[in-house]
Amino acid sequence: YRWDVGRIRVAVVVAAAFVVLDAHGGLAAEPPIGVGEVTASASSRDVDVGALRAMVTEAVETLDTSTLPRGSSAVLSVSVLRLDSRVTSPAEVTCVVSATLRDRRRGSVFAVVEGSARGQDEPRRMHALERAILRAAVGSAIARVPEAMRRRR
């Protein structure tokens, strides 16, 4: 009799854990948008790809995924196409970023979105300006991702 009560308690605890995990998407559930390749073109030679990946990951994590179609799953690859800096007074920076969405299971590309940003500041702040414009261009591209995923057929 004692053994049966113990088994019942364990079964109840396990069942409750599954209910909690299911309600929260599970512990091991993959996020609907994963970050894939992150690159910079040869003309964007001064881009720190590690910092770029961190920017992309941060931007993806801030997306509201509650509006995405249920069960949607994609891999996002990002490339800096252009990061142009002009040391003038004021200094100018322009950045263009391309992002490709592909189906996580099949690997087929279903959307390409682009983001861009432009800014000016004092020439002595060029490095900070480049980083801020890069972040803004990444954010601009990634902000288009949820709509691209909703339009997917």
Side-chain angles (χ1 to χ4, degrees), residues 9 52 73 85-86 92 116 121 147 150:
R9 282 187 192 150
L52 175 61
S73 181
S85 303
R86 288 189 354 183
E92 297 178 5
S116 63
D121 203 346
E147 180 63 25
R150 285 190 294 271

Side-chain angles (χ1 to χ4, degrees), residues 11-25:
V12 168
V13 169
V14 170
F18 280 122
V19 168
V20 169
L21 290 177
D22 188 48
H24 290 82

Side-chain angles (χ1 to χ4, degrees), residues 140-152:
S140 173
I142 292 177
R144 293 172 168 83
V145 167
E147 180 63 25
M149 289 184 71
R150 285 190 294 271
R151 289 183 178 209
R152 182 175 178 209

Side-chain angles (χ1 to χ4, degrees), residues 54-150:
M55 286 179 197
V56 170
T57 301
E58 180 183 316
V60 167
E61 288 172 352
T62 63
L63 288 175
D64 178 9
T65 58
S66 67
T67 63
L68 298 179
R70 188 161 178 83
S72 60
S73 181
V75 175
L76 176 76
S77 296
V78 174
S79 181
V80 176
L81 301 179
R82 200 173 93 217
L83 180 64
D84 295 332
S85 303
R86 288 189 354 183
V87 183
T88 57
S89 190
E92 297 178 5
V93 175
T94 302
C95 184
V96 178
V97 173
S98 176
T100 304
L101 282 163
R102 69 178 188 269
D103 183 274
R104 190 185 306 254
R105 291 175 210 67
R106 290 184 227 109
S108 57
V109 172
F110 64 87
V112 177
V113 295
E114 205 171 83
S116 63
R118 168 188 257 148
Q120 298 178 332
D121 203 346
E122 297 175 23
R124 65 182 176 82
R125 296 185 33 87
M126 180 63 84
H127 183 70
L129 178 61
E130 288 173 337
R131 193 162 171 86
I133 296 305
L134 177 60
R135 183 177 299 279
V138 165
S140 173
I142 292 177
R144 293 172 168 83
V145 167
E147 180 63 25
M149 289 184 71
R150 285 190 294 271

Side-chain angles (χ1 to χ4, degrees), residues 1-17:
Y1 172 74
R2 279 184 164 190
W3 188 72
D4 288 336
V5 171
R7 285 181 74 183
I8 291 171
R9 282 187 192 150
V10 169
V12 168
V13 169
V14 170

